[in-house]
Amino acid sequence: MKVTPELLKKYAEGKCTEAEKEFIENWLPGDVDIASELSEEKVKHATAQMWQEITADIDDNPTSVTIPLYKRVMRYAAAVIILFTIGFFTHNYLTAPVEQGDLAYFEDYSSIHTQRGQKRTVKLSDGSTIRMNYETEIKAPEKFEGDQRVVYLTGQAHFDVARDTERPFIIYTKDTKTQVLGTSFDINTKNEGETRIIVTSGEVAFSEKNQQDNLVTLTLNDRAVLGADRNITTDEVDALALTAWKDNQLIFEDQSLAEIIETIEPWYNVTVDVSEEQRLDKHYTLSFDDPNIELLMEQMSFLGEFQYEIEGDQIIIY
């Protein structure tokens, strides 16, 4: 168990389990009480208490800081930092998401991120589900109010939107607006200067954010791309294959090693070096269901007739 702003806020609101409560109370300095109503004023008061204790400890030991005192001061400082964090989010009516297994549930208005090599699933208050790919950010409210359900996306995510004919679901990216009533689709902003959408069920209205007349209506297996020239192009694709990442599947259809490397580096959070440049042009057709990197490299090396080494987060192909 770790002390986090989320856990401390839970403690302050009286929502901790007995085990969590005991853990925090053993961690906090005994004379600092934050298990009362969380407010900006109380955060400031508790912070001031901690700094007074730190100052007193240091005044009692003006020439040297013993190891026990150092640990005590660091514990106070960590608590101060967390209280400042809680105070900031309370002041702005924001909190971090509370995690339950693989799902993250939003409290108030929040954003959630994934890092390189990470994926996660987010459940919204209306029953909609968002599967986030690596290096992605979603912003959404705790509860949707009014006549629209609005979220913001940077990166790549697959949306399964709960149907609500009274309140359209709207996703804004930097350049686009996507509006649905209830359907599923994939939006990707990872390529610089363009936004891609692929529909896996239902009907979607996709447009440039600031030019609502630049709009297309998409259905199953339709793909649309808003390019740097602000034009929207469409074509028909195999939607399930191109969105297989959401189910932890890797599908490569006649793709070069260079293209595959672009996919697997952020997927596994690794760096791939190829000693012979001509190998990058060889094409592969492969399908993996939640593979580990060793299995993937073993099969590719057999088909590509190359050798490889895995050293930590670096892969060398030769």
Side-chain angles (χ1 to χ4, degrees), residues 137-151:
E137 178 185 17
I138 291 287
K139 294 182 180 180
E142 176 191 9
K143 293 181 180 179
F144 292 110
E145 297 181 356
D147 57 1
Q148 294 181 339
R149 297 170 289 167
V150 178
V151 301

Side-chain angles (χ1 to χ4, degrees), residues 141-188:
E142 176 191 9
K143 293 181 180 179
F144 292 110
E145 297 181 356
D147 57 1
Q148 294 181 339
R149 297 170 289 167
V150 178
V151 301
Y152 300 86
L153 166 70
T154 303
Q156 183 177 19
H158 186 275
F159 294 80
D160 287 304
V161 177
R163 187 167 184 81
D164 185 340
T165 57
E166 300 298 322
R167 297 185 301 166
F169 193 100
I170 299 173
I171 304 99
Y172 287 107
T173 70
K174 177 183 177 183
D175 300 312
T176 65
K177 174 184 177 181
T178 300
Q179 181 168 321
V180 301
L181 297 177
T183 183
S184 58
F185 49 94
D186 184 286
I187 301 178
N188 188 352

Side-chain angles (χ1 to χ4, degrees), residues 97 104 106 109-114 120-124 129-133 135-141 144 150-159 169 171-173 187:
F106 289 108
Y109 189 91
S110 184
S111 67
I112 185 169
H113 302 256
T114 55
R120 70 189 311 169
T121 299
V122 176
K123 189 79 171 180
L124 301 182
T129 300
I130 306 175
R131 293 176 176 86
M132 301 172 62
N133 209 346
E135 296 177 324
T136 293
E137 178 185 17
I138 291 287
K139 294 182 180 180
F144 292 110
V150 178
V151 301
Y152 300 86
L153 166 70
T154 303
Q156 183 177 19
H158 186 275
F159 294 80
F169 193 100
I171 304 99
Y172 287 107
T173 70
I187 301 178

